[in-house]
Amino acid sequence: MFFRALNDLKLRKKLFLSFIVVVFIPVLIVGIFLTDQLRGMALDKAMDQTTTNVERVKARTQELIDVAYDSSYRMANDDRLATVSNKRYETVYEVVQAYRDFQEFNENRRLYKEISNLRFYIENPTMLDNWEFIQPEPAIVRSDWYQKAMASPNGTVSWHYIQDERDQKQYLSLVRKVSFVEQSTSGVLVINVNMNMLNAILNQESFETMLVDDRNTIMAANRPDRVGKTMEDIEFDQDVMKEESGSFEADVDGKASRVLIEPLIPVSSVNSLRIISVFSIDTIVKDANRINVYAFIVISASLLIAIILIYGVSTILSKRMLRLSKHITKVATGNLDLVLEIDGKDEIGQLSRQFNSMVYSINGLVEAVKNSNSQMNLLESKQNEIKLKMMASQINPHFLFNALESIRMKAHLKGEKEISRIVSLLGKLMRRILEVGNGKTKLADEMDIVRCYLDIQKFRYEGRLEYSLRIDPRLEKYSIPPLIIQPLVENAVIHGLENKLEGGKVSVQAGIEDDRIVIDVYDNGAGMTGEKIQQIYKSINQVEDDERNRIGLQNVHLRLLLIYGDGHGLHIESEPGIGTRISFTIPYGGEWHV
């Protein structure tokens, strides 16, 4: 099929098709491959750089928060903190003096620039709030970070993004429970990390980098507008958001991006942090895309020049072929006095020489044909004479109808009404059969032929035959092939009920099931074995050019397959001694529908 279609193309189109197959498609494949490789190399390089950057951010952030952890460890084991926090003061002066003597918080802020602030929450009604020692208010006590700290074991810490009451700003904060065993009390130490230093670490990265807690809150980022938001707020991919580590592809702010997640697990922490780095794929492959554009321009220019050259060559060849085609057309119109002259020794020149030789041969054949025409005319006249004699020998069907009508009238006049009715039915049946031709007939008319046939057979069997015809009213005007049901009924009567002494029944039904018309012919006759049914199937599926099978089962089966396709042939069900059912289906609403 492909080569046939290729041969139908004009030469110019073939040359262009050859160019596309031989040059354009390989160049396109190579271009796509190189583009994909450049893109992959750019992404891999960006991924390696991101991994290195994230490891650097992780190391520097770890150093930063380790300072807060070391400070919390010293504070938790400082006896002076226990004394100041648990003493019951008599006067305000005693409280102020105790705060003045306890300078550990100030010393930590002064010595460690990584720490922004320290504060200690403890329930001691004799103390005053001075932003360092704070009585926890109900809102603080109910907060998630405070309750987690009070419920955590001694020696463990947790990291939260919480607000400092002093300046109302959010900080990455170490939260640690401090238990005083001797006094049977406990408090919560909060150390704020220097956010300026943390943001400075992230701001050195070229790709978007964020520090996120276990609740998906962005605590620090090199994009200030991200800080304080959650991953849901920036429309981060829900599936990637749940990941603890790894490299992923996701949509961030509506752009296809690569995401690298690195876990940061601080020392003795009950929760972990994550460093998330995001870079847009379009940004990374921008340079590769620019190179691809330049390559595309160069390749396109080369292909354009090649197309122009192919067009010129094909035009020269097409002109020579067109001259040959025009001469062939003139010969086809009967002009045989032509001599074609085309220069060149290529295939086209060879064709021109063969063309001239062919024209010379045709001239000789024309003369020979003229000599044989007289003999052919004589033979044709003899054949027509034979046909006329054969037609004259045929019996005129009207003679047979007139004879049947005369018999019917004679029987009627002598009181033989039953014989008169049967002769009338026989005449009607024969007329219907001769009138149907090879076209279409309505289902109601086909049923009328069946009814005539069954009435005649009922007369013949003298009460041994009963029948029923049922047709869906919607199908009465539906067109079907002619003589498609009557042969099945005839088969049921002759082969099914021939030896049945009494109680013979034939049922014909036509109805609609789903999108199909189902026509069913049933008899309660002798039935058949499974082996016999297989023999019938084998017989009716053999295509034989035999006029005797024209109205038999084979004819009906093959006509159904030819008209409606596979699956619409005869279906036979039978059991010995019970009966036989022959059915077939017709598509409802097809080309035969009127």
Side-chain angles (χ1 to χ4, degrees):
M1 184 63 71
F2 171 76
F3 292 103
R4 182 180 298 175
L6 186 63
N7 291 334
D8 293 338
L9 294 176
K10 292 185 177 180
L11 182 60
R12 182 176 297 177
K13 291 183 179 180
K14 288 181 181 178
L15 289 173
F16 277 103
L17 182 62
S18 301
F19 170 76
I20 292 173
V21 174
V22 177
V23 179
F24 185 79
I25 293 179
V27 170
L28 182 63
I29 293 174
V30 172
I32 293 173
F33 175 78
L34 293 178
T35 299
D36 184 71
Q37 290 297 311
L38 285 173
R39 188 176 183 273
M41 291 172 60
L43 290 175
D44 291 341
K45 183 178 179 180
M47 204 65 200
D48 292 340
Q49 180 182 347
T50 303
T51 302
T52 302
N53 293 348
V54 168
E55 289 293 335
R56 182 175 62 249
V57 170
K58 179 179 179 180
R60 296 185 62 186
T61 305
Q62 185 72 55
E63 293 174 359
L64 183 64
I65 63 178
D66 281 348
V67 173
Y69 174 78
D70 293 338
S71 180
S72 72
Y73 179 82
R74 289 191 297 272
M75 296 295 297
N77 294 279
D78 193 338
D79 293 335
R80 290 172 295 177
L81 178 62
T83 301
V84 173
S85 301
N86 292 283
K87 183 179 179 180
R88 294 298 184 263
Y89 299 96
E90 300 293 334
T91 63
V92 174
Y93 175 78
E94 290 182 8
V95 177
V96 174
Q97 187 62 38
Y99 289 173
R100 187 176 297 168
D101 294 336
F102 186 83
Q103 293 297 316
E104 294 302 312
F105 288 165
N106 290 329
E107 284 297 314
N108 275 276
R109 283 194 297 269
R110 184 178 62 82
L111 292 174
Y112 305 110
K113 61 183 181 299
E114 293 87 355
I115 296 176
S116 176
N117 190 30
L118 300 91
R119 57 190 184 277
F120 187 69
Y121 296 89
I122 189 167
E123 295 183 2
N124 186 346
T126 64
M127 297 179 70
L128 299 175
D129 291 347
N130 69 336
W131 305 119
E132 293 178 350
F133 292 90
I134 302 174
Q135 298 286 334
E137 297 178 354
I140 296 295
V141 174
R142 291 193 301 269
S143 65
D144 180 69
W145 61 267
Y146 189 91
Q147 291 186 6
K148 284 185 177 180
M150 294 301 290
S152 63
N154 257 348
T156 60
V157 301
S158 59
W159 295 87
H160 301 275
Y161 190 63
I162 58 178
Q163 188 181 63
D164 193 337
E165 293 89 344
R166 176 179 293 183
D167 57 6
Q168 304 299 314
K169 292 181 180 180
Q170 300 282 114
Y171 291 85
L172 170 61
S173 302
L174 179 147
V175 179
R176 179 170 186 160
K177 175 184 177 182
V178 179
S179 299
F180 306 110
V181 179
E182 295 181 1
Q183 294 83 3
S184 298
T185 60
S186 60
V188 176
L189 176 65
V190 178
I191 301 178
N192 295 343
V193 173
N194 190 329
M195 298 302 292
N196 291 330
M197 292 186 64
L198 183 58
N199 287 323
I201 294 173
L202 299 179
N203 286 334
Q204 294 179 5
E205 305 306 321
S206 56
F207 301 132
E208 180 179 357
T209 307
M210 301 172 285
L211 182 64
V212 180
D213 65 8
D214 57 350
R215 303 180 67 179
N216 290 322
T217 301
I218 302 173
M219 300 179 292
N222 55 357
R223 282 183 56 178
D225 59 316
R226 301 287 204 204
V227 179
K229 295 181 179 179
T230 63
M231 304 299 286
E232 291 87 353
D233 294 335
I234 64 173
E235 298 181 354
F236 207 82
D237 190 281
Q238 294 290 328
D239 295 331
V240 178
M241 191 188 307
K242 301 173 184 178
E243 300 293 338
E244 293 295 329
S245 64
S247 174
F248 310 92
E249 289 190 7
D251 289 336
V252 180
D253 290 338
K255 297 180 180 178
S257 305
R258 282 282 184 90
V259 179
L260 180 63
I261 301 177
E262 182 67 24
L264 174 60
I265 305 175
V267 179
S268 300
S269 177
V270 297
N271 64 339
S272 62
L273 308 177
R274 289 180 297 167
I275 299 172
I276 300 178
S277 183
V278 180
F279 61 85
S280 171
I281 294 178
D282 290 339
T283 303
I284 297 303
V285 300
K286 180 173 60 177
D287 293 336
N289 289 339
R290 185 170 62 252
I291 295 173
N292 292 334
V293 169
Y294 292 151
F296 176 78
I297 293 173
V298 173
I299 293 173
S300 298
S302 302
L303 294 177
L304 180 61
I305 294 173
I307 289 173
I308 293 173
L309 293 176
I310 290 176
Y311 179 81
V313 173
S314 64
T315 300
I316 295 173
L317 293 176
S318 297
K319 286 182 178 180
R320 297 177 69 199
M321 294 297 292
L322 184 61
R323 289 178 59 193
L324 178 59
S325 175
K326 288 181 178 178
H327 280 73
I328 293 174
T329 302
K330 291 179 180 179
V331 170
T333 58
N335 188 355
L336 300 178
D337 299 324
L338 294 175
V339 177
L340 178 61
E341 296 181 359
I342 297 180
D343 57 343
K345 296 182 179 180
D346 58 358
E347 288 80 1
I348 299 177
Q350 184 178 357
L351 284 174
S352 67
R353 290 188 291 274
Q354 292 175 350
F355 172 79
N356 290 333
S357 176
M358 180 190 67
V359 172
Y360 177 79
S361 298
I362 291 174
N363 278 319
L365 291 174
V366 167
E367 292 298 326
V369 170
K370 288 180 179 178
N371 294 331
S372 64
N373 276 342
S374 58
Q375 296 179 358
M376 293 293 293
N377 292 332
L378 180 61
L379 178 62
E380 185 177 354
S381 64
K382 292 293 183 180
Q383 289 177 340
N384 289 334
E385 183 179 351
I386 292 172
K387 288 182 181 179
L388 288 173
K389 291 179 179 180
M390 291 176 64
M391 292 175 64
S393 66
Q394 293 180 347
I395 299 176
N396 190 340
H398 292 284
F399 168 76
L400 179 59
F401 296 144
N402 292 335
L404 287 173
E405 180 63 18
S406 298
I407 294 171
R408 186 189 71 81
M409 288 300 298
K410 195 72 172 179
H412 180 73
L413 292 174
K414 291 186 175 183
E416 297 291 342
K417 295 183 178 180
E418 184 66 14
I419 296 176
S420 174
R421 185 179 69 85
I422 296 304
V423 171
S424 176
L425 290 174
L426 179 59
K428 180 180 179 182
L429 176 62
M430 294 184 66
R431 186 179 297 275
R432 284 289 183 88
I433 291 174
L434 290 173
E435 288 176 351
V436 293
N438 294 319
K440 299 178 290 184
T441 185
K442 294 180 180 178
L443 184 56
D445 293 339
E446 179 74 5
M447 283 295 193
D448 195 26
I449 292 176
V450 171
R451 184 179 290 105
C452 289
Y453 174 79
L454 287 173
D455 281 339
I456 294 171
Q457 291 289 20
K458 188 175 180 181
F459 172 78
R460 174 192 172 193
Y461 285 99
E462 298 180 349
R464 290 161 52 198
L465 172 65
E466 296 293 335
Y467 71 86
S468 64
L469 303 178
R470 285 185 288 177
I471 178 173
D472 191 315
R474 294 174 291 176
L475 302 177
E476 290 182 350
K477 295 184 179 180
Y478 198 92
S479 288
I480 63 171
L483 293 179
I484 207 76
I485 301 176
Q486 190 273 336
L488 305 183
V489 176
E490 181 177 348
N491 181 78
V493 173
I494 294 175
H495 297 289
L497 304 177
E498 182 71 26
N499 298 321
K500 197 172 183 69
L501 298 178
E502 61 182 6
K505 293 182 180 179
V506 174
S507 172
V508 182
Q509 298 183 25
I512 301 174
E513 292 183 8
D514 298 331
D515 57 347
R516 301 179 303 168
I517 299 172
V518 179
I519 297 176
D520 183 274
V521 178
Y522 169 77
D523 69 82
N524 64 344
M528 295 180 290
T529 63
E531 182 180 357
K532 179 65 176 177
I533 294 175
Q534 293 302 320
Q535 291 177 358
I536 293 176
Y537 274 132
K538 183 178 180 180
S539 173
I540 64 176
N541 280 290
Q542 291 178 352
V543 180
E544 297 179 358
D545 190 11
D546 190 347
E547 290 294 323
R548 292 174 299 174
N549 293 329
R550 194 155 47 105
I551 57 172
L553 291 182
Q554 182 190 48
N555 179 268
V556 173
H557 179 71
L558 295 179
R559 280 199 293 155
L560 288 170
L561 294 179
L562 287 173
I563 296 172
Y564 300 109
D566 292 340
H568 293 284
L570 296 181
H571 178 70
I572 304 173
E573 299 176 9
S574 183
E575 290 187 27
I578 295 179
T580 302
R581 184 184 304 276
I582 301 180
S583 61
F584 62 88
T585 61
I586 294 176
Y588 184 55
E591 60 177 322
W592 289 81
H593 189 210
V594 295

